[in-house]
């Protein structure tokens, strides 16, 4: 069994400027870097640590609350930068001996023709009948060229199956408990990973929470969906 921690990247330039980013590849802002550092430090304080390469063959006596066997990132730099910051902090004073690995399946939703548009233009560009609105944000449903939320659920289920079949054995020599990994991804896809894991309708998930910058969720068989938030933020940019 694998416990899956899911983090969203810190604020990037598009977030700061109110731009719908999707597959755009902008770096973190100074605030985004600080958000990632703050959450990484909170994780360290709560007993998270990154497995060292030597421990794969020789188990450690370090009894951290949560030992991460691996960190995986979206290929987009805002996520990869965030993952690197987490890796550096969770390795303590040591140089990280397990590199952040890129998983293409963690990339953000393709926003289609809405890519690069102002967030304020969603209702105007898409029309109210093609927008799902919550108290804090408008989600476009099916603009030309975009992945739908149903598409994201399918991608999320494929990724979860891959994790179960290919990744769950990582770190088996370290302890007898469940393995833990960290996925650093994006707002829309992170929410759909949660929806797919717990088999919740995507509209219900969009109403439940936003998944702010550097927020962390736990997906685990022995943890109910209402307890998924490990570190929660109150930001509402896209």
């Amino acid at each position: 069994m694998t416990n899956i921690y899911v983090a969203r990247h810190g604020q990037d330039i598009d977030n700061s400027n109110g731009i719908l980013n999707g597959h755009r590849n902008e770096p973190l802002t100074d605030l985004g870097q600080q958000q990632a550092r703050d959450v990484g430090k909170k994780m360290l304080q709560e007993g998270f640590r990154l497995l060292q390469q030597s421990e794969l063959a020789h188990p450690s006596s370090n009894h951290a609350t949560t030992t991460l066997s691996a960190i995986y990132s979206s290929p987009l730099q805002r996520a990869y930068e965030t993952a690197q910051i987490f890796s550096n902090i969770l390795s303590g004073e040591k140089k990280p001996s397990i590199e952040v690995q890129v998983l293409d399946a963690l990339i953000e939703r393709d926003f289609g023709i809405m890519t690069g548009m102002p967030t304020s233009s969603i209702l105007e560009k898409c029309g109210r009948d093609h927008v799902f609105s919550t108290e804090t944000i408008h989600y476009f449903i099916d603009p030309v060229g975009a992945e739908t939320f149903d598409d994201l659920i399918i991608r999320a289920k494929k990724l979860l199956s891959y994790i179960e079949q290919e990744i769950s054995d990582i770190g088996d020599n370290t302890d007898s408990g469940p393995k833990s990994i960290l996925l650093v991804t994006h707002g829309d896809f992170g929410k759909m990973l949660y929806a797919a894991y717990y088999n919740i309708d995507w509209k219900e998930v969009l109403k439940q929470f936003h998944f702010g910058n550097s927020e962390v969720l736990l997906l685990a068989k022995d943890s109910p969906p209402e307890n998924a938030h490990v570190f929660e933020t109150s930001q509402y940019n896209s």
Side-chain angles (χ1 to χ4, degrees), residues 82-173:
T82 302
Q84 289 282 20
I85 291 171
F86 289 160
S87 175
N88 291 337
I89 292 173
L90 297 177
S91 296
E93 298 300 323
K94 300 178 182 179
K95 179 180 178 181
S97 60
I98 294 180
E99 294 184 0
V100 173
Q101 301 179 60
V102 171
L103 277 181
D104 289 342
L106 289 169
I107 197 168
E108 176 60 302
R109 177 188 184 190
D110 188 339
F111 287 1
I113 62 171
M114 295 304 292
T115 303
M117 295 289 184
T119 56
S120 59
S121 71
I122 291 176
L123 283 175
E124 175 189 352
K125 297 289 186 182
C126 299
R128 186 166 294 278
D129 289 344
H130 296 272
V131 171
F132 183 83
S133 298
T134 71
E135 293 181 358
T136 57
I137 194 168
H138 299 301
Y139 294 95
F140 49 80
I141 297 174
D142 54 0
V144 174
E147 287 180 284
T148 66
F149 287 104
D150 287 332
D151 292 333
L152 294 184
I153 291 289
I154 292 170
R155 173 149 62 95
K157 287 182 177 179
K158 289 180 178 178
L159 176 57
L160 292 170
S161 178
Y162 172 77
I163 289 170
E164 181 179 354
Q165 295 174 18
E166 304 293 337
I167 294 177
S168 60
D169 289 340
I170 293 175
D172 266 351
N173 291 329

Side-chain angles (χ1 to χ4, degrees), residues 218-238:
L218 169 62
L219 313 181
K221 298 297 184 185
D222 59 354
S223 179
E226 60 269 22
N227 293 341
H229 284 87
V230 180
F231 301 111
E232 190 169 5
T233 65
S234 57
Q235 288 186 304
Y236 302 118
N237 52 262
S238 64

Side-chain angles (χ1 to χ4, degrees), residues 1-6 153 156-157 160 190-202 204-205 208-209 217-230:
M1 180 175 67
T2 301
N3 289 344
I4 303 170
Y5 290 88
V6 181
I153 291 289
K157 287 182 177 179
L160 292 170
K191 289 190 286 286
M192 294 306 102
L193 270 172
Y194 169 91
Y197 189 91
Y198 288 111
N199 196 29
I200 303 172
D201 183 81
W202 61 262
E204 290 302 313
V205 172
Q208 284 177 17
F209 63 93
L217 305 174
L218 169 62
L219 313 181
K221 298 297 184 185
D222 59 354
S223 179
E226 60 269 22
N227 293 341
H229 284 87
V230 180

